[in-house]
Amino acid sequence: MQNLSETSKAAAERVASILRDRIVKGELAPLDRLVERRLSAELDVSRTPVREALKLLEADGLIEITLHRGALVSVFGPDEAVHLFDVISSLESLAAERLAENIAPDSLQELEDLHGTMLEQFRGDRISDYFDTNTIIHDFIVTGCGNPIVIETHRRLIARARRGRFMAIMNRERLEQAVGEHETLMQAFRSRDPLAAAEIWKTHLLHTGETLAEVLGRQGDQNAR
């Protein structure tokens, strides 16, 4: 019974990971329906792990499940973007500050390697790969900060923030600006300068929130016409 439960849980997490990536990267748009039987057939799993996966996505704030309409991808508005990144910027800037205070040589080298990979992907215009590496960098900083409350709070919010970050880097000007901010952060880590790390990382994430709010505002205006 335990093995069956663990297998079902693993299947649900796999399905949730696939759907989460589709939502974050815009393959599933706001108000798109997620139909259990279709997903079950497509992903070759029973409907039980699909149902459990949808509950995980609902907990992430990525979908809404209603009695009459089923599961729908959540709508993301400009105000939510500003409020969300106000919080995320505070959490991640604190994480960057704490990491810079005590960063070990092997951790710094791992960040250097990730940063180098991300720059190659940016120069090659491999946006999806760039975003994936960028996400690993953000998560590395949070998990390396040593504060379990920051880590857990960030975990509960990050799915919606990732969706917003991907939308923001579709703006080429913002993408280039973001790459420069990542380089400034690396300079702070190399110098082991906590205050500089906190300042640039807060600025970085607030810029993302501002860009996202502008993108969502334009989309809202277009939809209203």
Side-chain angles (χ1 to χ4, degrees):
M1 182 65 71
Q2 183 178 3
N3 289 338
L4 179 61
S5 176
E6 290 174 356
T7 300
S8 180
K9 181 179 179 181
E13 290 174 347
R14 180 178 71 84
V15 172
S17 178
I18 292 169
L19 297 178
R20 190 180 290 114
D21 193 62
R22 292 178 183 179
I23 294 170
V24 165
K25 295 183 178 178
E27 295 172 31
L28 288 168
L31 300 181
D32 278 355
R33 288 188 66 207
L34 302 177
V35 181
E36 285 184 19
R37 67 177 183 278
R38 293 177 188 167
L39 293 171
S40 175
E42 177 193 351
L43 301 175
D44 194 25
V45 294
S46 71
R47 291 179 67 169
T48 297
V50 172
R51 193 174 298 119
E52 292 304 311
L54 294 179
K55 291 178 183 177
L56 294 174
L57 295 178
E58 184 181 33
D60 286 342
L62 292 177
I63 69 170
E64 298 175 4
I65 302 176
T66 65
L67 182 62
H68 300 295
R69 302 182 69 189
L72 301 175
V73 177
S74 299
V75 175
F76 202 27
D79 289 343
E80 181 184 2
V82 171
H83 295 155
L84 177 61
F85 278 89
D86 193 24
V87 175
I88 289 290
S89 67
S90 296
L91 290 170
E92 292 203 24
S93 65
L94 176 59
E97 180 177 0
R98 293 293 175 262
L99 182 59
E101 288 173 348
N102 301 295
I103 191 164
D106 58 341
S107 294
L108 180 59
Q109 186 57 56
E110 187 169 353
L111 275 174
E112 294 281 13
D113 293 342
L114 287 167
H115 182 66
T117 298
M118 188 192 74
L119 291 179
E120 289 177 6
Q121 292 162 341
F122 165 71
R123 295 182 188 115
D125 205 27
R126 294 155 51 200
I127 300 302
S128 182
D129 292 337
Y130 164 90
F131 179 78
D132 291 340
T133 304
N134 182 287
T135 296
I136 293 170
I137 291 171
H138 278 261
D139 289 350
F140 185 97
I141 292 167
V142 171
T143 57
C145 77
N147 186 323
I149 296 176
V150 169
I151 294 168
E152 176 58 23
T153 305
H154 186 267
R155 185 193 64 78
R156 293 200 302 267
L157 296 173
I158 193 56
R160 283 182 293 166
R162 282 189 184 131
R163 180 182 173 196
R165 282 177 39 232
F166 191 84
M167 293 176 69
I169 63 170
M170 293 300 100
N171 179 310
R172 185 70 190 186
E173 182 179 350
R174 171 56 195 150
L175 175 59
E176 293 175 355
Q177 182 187 49
V179 170
E181 290 163 353
H182 270 263
E183 178 56 38
T184 303
L185 177 69
M186 289 306 303
Q187 292 171 5
F189 282 142
R190 292 167 191 141
S191 302
R192 290 170 170 76
D193 187 336
L195 294 182
E199 181 179 1
I200 187 55
W201 218 222
K202 189 173 185 67
T203 299
H204 174 70
L205 286 146
L206 288 175
H207 280 164
T208 297
E210 292 164 2
T211 301
L212 175 60
E214 292 172 4
V215 170
L216 293 170
R218 288 196 297 270
Q219 289 181 354
D221 291 342
Q222 291 172 357
N223 293 336
R225 291 173 186 167

